[in-house]
């Protein structure tokens, strides 16, 4: 089967950043790279960052020279990925497995969307409805940790005409 050429674009590296300047390339055209291997070092208004590529295979092109500004969403590299499912990269016909890297807007999580965690509620119980199922007892406190003290009752409102301090 023919390799599939995948384009890797500059991800959103931080809130409000619209681009980054290429500092140095860490790969050459024709080089074989692994999944999540850093391919370029870029500088934003906030930091210098090594950017990993979510594809493994042969680098077929690089976009941007050192000192050049690259906008978020513009191509950084193209990679020829083997569709055979070997270790050089993801199989384009297989469901997305995700590379495991986490960058804002990187999109490498399974299914293209990140899983949302449930809200943690006081007492440690987190369910879809936010309460324990009917008939379930609250979990015991963690070993070595004392139970939380009971909450104090709210103080009554000060009497009209007073300054709010008890006499």
């Amino acid at each position: 089967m023919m390799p599939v050429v995948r384009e890797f674009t500059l991800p959103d590296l931080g809130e409000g950043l619209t681009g980054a300047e290429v500092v140095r390339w860490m790969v050459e055209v024709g080089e074989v790279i692994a999944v999540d291997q850093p391919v370029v070092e870029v500088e934003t208004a906030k930091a210098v960052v090594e950017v990993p590529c979510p594809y493994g295979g042969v680098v077929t092109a690089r976009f941007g020279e050192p000192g050049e500004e690259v906008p978020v969403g513009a191509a950084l590299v193209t990679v020829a990925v083997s569709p055979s499912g070997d270790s050089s990269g993801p199989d384009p016909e297989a469901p997305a497995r995700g590379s495991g890297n986490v960058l804002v807007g990187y999109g490498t999580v399974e299914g293209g969307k990140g899983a949302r965690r449930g809200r943690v509620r006081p007492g440690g119980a987190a369910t879809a409805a936010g309460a324990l199922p009917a008939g379930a007892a609250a979990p015991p406190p963690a070993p070595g940790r004392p139970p939380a003290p009971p909450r104090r009752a709210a103080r009554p409102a000060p009497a009209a005409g007073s300054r709010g301090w008890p006499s």
Side-chain angles (χ1 to χ4, degrees):
M1 293 182 102
M2 295 283 298
V4 176
V5 177
R6 298 285 179 116
E7 182 180 83
F8 174 57
T9 59
L10 179 65
D12 179 1
L13 298 171
E15 193 171 314
L17 298 175
T18 59
E21 180 182 316
V22 175
V23 174
R24 71 181 174 99
W25 284 100
M26 304 171 80
V27 296
E28 299 293 329
V29 173
E31 185 176 334
V32 176
I33 62 171
V35 172
D36 292 336
Q37 178 178 333
V39 293
V40 66
E41 186 174 67
V42 297
E43 182 174 4
T44 69
K46 298 179 180 183
V48 175
V49 181
E50 290 182 353
V51 181
C53 181
Y55 308 117
V58 178
V59 176
T60 58
R62 299 186 319 191
F63 302 95
E65 295 299 319
E68 186 177 327
E69 181 82 13
V70 178
V72 168
L76 282 176
V77 294
T78 54
V79 180
V81 177
S82 172
S84 64
D86 63 12
S87 63
S88 66
D91 181 354
E93 299 300 320
R97 289 181 294 251
S99 67
N101 263 344
V102 180
L103 285 177
V104 177
Y106 203 40
T108 63
V109 178
E110 184 173 329
K113 294 231 181 209
R116 295 193 65 163
R117 291 185 281 167
R119 185 170 140 194
V120 177
R121 305 215 181 253
T127 64
L132 292 172
R145 185 176 217 179
R151 293 186 176 219
R152 293 190 322 191
R155 224 180 223 177
S162 74
R163 295 180 183 246
W165 293 98
S167 10

